[in-house]
Amino acid sequence: MRCPLCHVLVALTLLCNVLLLYYTWNLHVRPAGRQSPPSTLSPGITVIVREFYSFEHGLAALNHSFLRSRPSVRLLVASEALPYPPVQGINILRLHPSPEKPGSVVRLESHVQTRLVALVPDGTALDPPDLLDGMVHILRDSPPGVRIVAAGAGTVLRCFHLKVSLRQWTAEYSPAGTGDICGAVLGSAVLLMRSRDLFELPFPLSRPVQAAIFIQAALRSWGVKVLEGATFPRTPLPATDHGRWKAEQAVRVEEAATMRVLGVRLVRGLDGGDRWYGCSKETPRCFGTVVGETPDYLYEGRWTPPCCLRALRSTALHVIKVLEASNVRYWLEGGSLLGAARHGDIIPWDYDVDLGIYLEDITLCPELRGAQDGSLVDAEGFVWERAVEGDFFRVQYSQINHLHVDLWPFYPRDGLMTRDSWTGHPQDIEFPESFLQPLQVLPFAGASVQAPNRHVELLKMKFGERVIEEPQYPNPALLRIKER
């Protein structure tokens, strides 16, 4: 049966409406940050200035220098707030969103329309004008692994290899040889990148810019090539003593915040020794309440933050010093004994330290006597208390930071070491007192610590036959180590 003409017209009208709605929807839901996808970016360079301080800067001079030498360059100042006093003739990328404006205005992709970007620190001048061209040639001619070209800004750069372990929350720098492809550079630098690479980074403009970019680049195995034999002139800013003091304070705060966002708690190998960005005695620990013996960081494929391991070592050695001074007999227990046998240290994913003590020796130690009545803060700020979870003692790193050592009181009965209460852990078992007579010494947390004399046999009794050879997370029923 033939369809009437009016039905055909209605069908065509509906089809046109559907197509119109489809294309309109695509136009509106396309993320604002993708309005200019990498394939349509135009030739040229956008110069981004992120490293400056609003209280004392040289943005006007920088803008004049670059535009005079390269009129085609678009200069973009990225900042949470407008520079004050205002600088005429510069483009601003406000990184702090304003509630009355669309979200696209804070996205980097909405402001960069060129294929290349140059991240330039404040005080830098473009002289000679072809310096950027030299960097472009290096980037173009480098192997695919090189994604960043660096040139000194008022200084000669030092080249480093950079290894970032998110599992261990650590960034480790080591000096690179002459002519090597770097993982990072030390010194104030101009960085040239392809715009699409900068867009790929989740934190492209976090400060300090160089450290943030190099850590993210290292996680992607990107290399850095240094422009040899030439540097950009640069006037160090701020120029006043007061401005430099304010900048130093700001750098410390910014650096700590950025490292925490990037998941880095320890930086090694740079000038000045190790740099810590995690918890301390004055801050809470890096993780919350542990459920099912499985800390939250294990679910993220990470191990114990290094700052927490440092605090646990410090607490354990302090407790051992106090116990030894009071002639309290103690020994490594549970997972800590396993850590000593397997690593000579705390297990890299453990979150506390366990020590056994003789119940009858508690009265020998003033700190333990004080803990029996509630809690006691000793002269070094460690907190001794009776644990609320059971009949044992706990020593915390500080009143704020609750990383801790648990002290488990045992007593002999019919030749076995036992306790009056147990926590239900599989490793909570009685064992022969002969394992403690005599005690031996094992390396643990950087010291020699007392342990049962037949520790391997005891560990097999507690955890299973191949516990030392086959590492596993504390509660394999929830999470197994092979899943990391």
Side-chain angles (χ1 to χ4, degrees), residues 327-400:
N327 294 316
V328 174
R329 289 167 291 177
Y330 75 90
W331 61 93
L332 289 169
E333 257 293 332
S336 298
L337 180 61
L338 179 58
R342 188 190 292 148
H343 308 281
D345 198 356
I346 299 170
I347 294 174
W349 50 85
D350 209 350
Y351 54 89
D352 63 6
V353 170
D354 295 306
L355 298 176
I357 59 174
Y358 271 86
L359 177 64
E360 63 186 281
D361 290 353
I362 290 175
T363 58
L364 300 176
C365 178
E367 287 81 359
L368 288 176
R369 291 200 305 269
Q372 283 185 311
D373 299 325
S375 66
L376 177 149
V377 181
D378 66 24
E380 296 185 37
F382 295 91
V383 181
W384 298 68
E385 62 185 12
R386 180 175 287 279
V388 298
E389 299 95 330
D391 189 19
F392 62 98
F393 296 93
R394 176 164 288 164
V395 184
Q396 297 179 160
Y397 186 46
S398 73
Q399 291 177 287
I400 298 175

Side-chain angles (χ1 to χ4, degrees), residues 19-248:
L19 291 173
L20 179 62
L21 286 172
Y22 174 79
Y23 286 111
T24 303
W25 180 83
N26 270 280
L27 179 64
H28 285 286
V29 301
R30 182 180 298 151
R34 296 297 181 192
Q35 290 175 2
S36 293
S39 60
T40 63
L41 292 175
S42 62
I45 303 173
T46 298
V47 172
I48 302 176
V49 184
R50 175 69 174 123
E51 295 282 17
F52 74 96
Y53 294 98
S54 58
F55 50 80
E56 188 178 335
H57 58 76
L59 295 178
L62 188 153
N63 185 45
H64 176 72
S65 172
F66 274 78
L67 292 183
R68 180 188 60 194
S69 301
R70 294 284 294 267
S72 61
V73 163
R74 182 173 188 266
L75 190 136
L76 181 64
V77 173
S79 177
E80 285 77 12
L82 291 173
Y84 179 81
V87 180
Q88 300 298 320
I90 62 174
N91 301 295
I92 303 291
L93 165 54
R94 290 287 300 274
L95 299 175
H96 185 75
S98 183
E100 79 282 3
K101 294 183 179 180
S104 60
V105 300
V106 300
R107 297 191 182 110
L108 182 60
E109 295 95 320
S110 298
H111 296 262
V112 175
Q113 310 299 324
T114 58
R115 294 176 188 168
L116 299 174
V117 290
L119 296 158
V120 178
D122 193 12
T124 303
L126 181 54
D127 184 23
D130 60 356
L131 269 180
L132 281 176
D133 295 325
M135 299 177 73
V136 171
H137 293 321
I138 292 176
L139 184 62
R140 182 193 62 198
D141 298 337
S142 293
V146 173
R147 302 292 187 94
I148 303 171
V149 175
T155 185
V156 176
L157 301 178
R158 293 165 56 192
C159 183
F160 284 84
H161 297 305
L162 174 57
K163 179 182 178 182
V164 180
S165 171
L166 291 183
R167 187 175 68 180
Q168 296 175 306
W169 310 76
T170 301
E172 187 163 1
Y173 294 79
S174 58
T178 303
D180 285 1
I181 294 177
C182 311
V185 297
L186 187 61
S188 183
V190 172
L191 305 181
L192 183 78
M193 305 175 61
R194 295 177 180 88
S195 299
R196 65 172 183 265
D197 289 337
L198 187 63
F199 297 161
E200 181 181 326
L201 302 181
F203 306 102
L205 296 177
S206 292
R207 294 187 3 172
V209 171
Q210 287 182 210
I213 284 182
F214 291 146
I215 287 174
Q216 294 173 89
L219 291 170
R220 292 159 174 79
S221 300
W222 293 357
V224 182
K225 194 71 175 176
V226 175
L227 175 67
E228 303 288 353
T231 59
F232 288 79
R234 180 171 183 260
T235 301
L237 290 168
T240 65
D241 290 340
H242 182 63
R244 282 192 292 269
W245 176 82
K246 291 177 66 175
E248 289 169 2

Side-chain angles (χ1 to χ4, degrees), residues 409-459:
F410 285 80
Y411 62 91
R413 183 177 62 192
D414 299 329
L416 296 176
M417 297 302 294
T418 188
R419 300 206 314 260
D420 286 331
S421 65
W422 303 90
T423 62
H425 293 167
Q427 65 265 30
D428 281 350
I429 61 172
E430 296 176 335
F431 61 90
E433 185 181 13
S434 61
F435 284 9
L436 305 178
Q437 298 177 348
L439 290 164
Q440 67 167 330
V441 171
L442 291 177
F444 181 78
S448 297
V449 179
Q450 293 179 9
N453 56 63
R454 291 160 65 182
H455 68 284
V456 173
E457 185 177 343
L458 178 57
L459 287 170

